[in-house]
Amino acid sequence: MTAKRFIFMAAILLLLCTGLGIYGFVKASEHPKDYQSAGEIRWVLPPSTSHHIESKDGVFFVSKGDKMSVMTVKDGKPQWRARGVLEYGGKDRLIYCEDRKYGYMDLDGKVLIKARYDYAEAFYGDYALVRNGENLSYMVIDRHGNELYTFEEETTVMWEKEGLLSIYDDGRGEPDRILDCGSGTFAEYEQSLSPLGEGLYSELVKMKDDDALLVIRDKDGRLKFGGERFCSIDQFDHGVSYVKKENGQCGYMNTKGEMVLSLPDGWEASSFREGKGVVDTGKRILIVDEKGRTTAERPKGDIVGARFCVFSEGFTKVLVEHETHEKGWGYMDENGEFVVPPIFLHVEPVSQGCAIVQYRSSMGIVKVK
């Protein structure tokens, strides 16, 4: 075979493979009549196998190799910001690397704290953990780069809550003390309560058989709802939480301990977010409000349950099993209508009106609203 003929055949094969790939993507984007209300997919960033995408605090981080590009979205269009060897550095901040040292910059690349640390973590509120020197001991810095506290080499630290730092002198077990970074005061560690929102907290209670259940307390530590015990409690939103009680009862409960919607056997529901919950009755998909009232509904069809249907910016991701038994994710609005067809392998919650999706081995960003 001559060189020219080989090149010609290789070119024909490449064109054929490319054509089949495009045809396959177009066919996969076609969806059953039940989803035609979703319309065409609107890409903010078309899918590609060459980049990886993450989203934090409404900012998209598009990485290719060791390089990262920061992107925000305005009017459905990408706005490219800083680029380079970057990491997420907290809200509206990036960690950058220069001469093997780390510092902080804003989303447009303006240096806020010069690169002078051997190790740096993202800001948690107004404070961040950094390390420097041969022993790499931890330090706490503020948003201006002022070094506030330094710890011994063998000391391990981690954030308990925003502004509160747990300190482990031997690096194991429970914290030895808690540092309030704002006031500079230390306190003995006490078993902390987990915030549920609405001024309520959950506490883990061990039972005689070594199982553990949850009780709810108020901000002053008083038991609520007669000390009733729960297997699980979600965060409260608009005064409502999805709970599973010790007796097996599941559903949506308000801050008075009243079940606004108790689920019959065989029903399931999502976490309550943005004043809405999604309920699967087995035949219908219901969208309910904080009173447990149905505000919208649709046939269940091929939708696979409701547990993962959590609203974000007025939309929820939905998993569908197609006639081919392949599963795909899409998006549904608060009226129960699909706005993005369920053809994706993986999807993320909506942020800034857009969402990260994965189609086979490619990642992209779609416009949802």
Side-chain angles (χ1 to χ4, degrees), residues 302 320-328:
D302 297 326
V320 169
E321 183 171 1
H322 300 289
E323 293 179 358
T324 59
H325 301 296
E326 293 182 352
K327 294 180 180 179

Side-chain angles (χ1 to χ4, degrees), residues 263-301:
L263 301 181
D265 289 342
W267 289 30
E268 69 173 24
S270 70
S271 295
F272 201 83
R273 292 292 182 272
E274 298 186 347
K276 296 177 284 292
V278 182
V279 178
D280 177 7
T281 72
K283 294 183 178 180
R284 309 283 294 176
I285 297 295
L286 314 178
I287 298 175
V288 300
D289 64 12
E290 67 274 10
K291 300 292 185 182
R293 300 171 300 199
T294 299
T295 59
E297 63 179 292
R298 60 167 292 126
K300 178 178 178 179

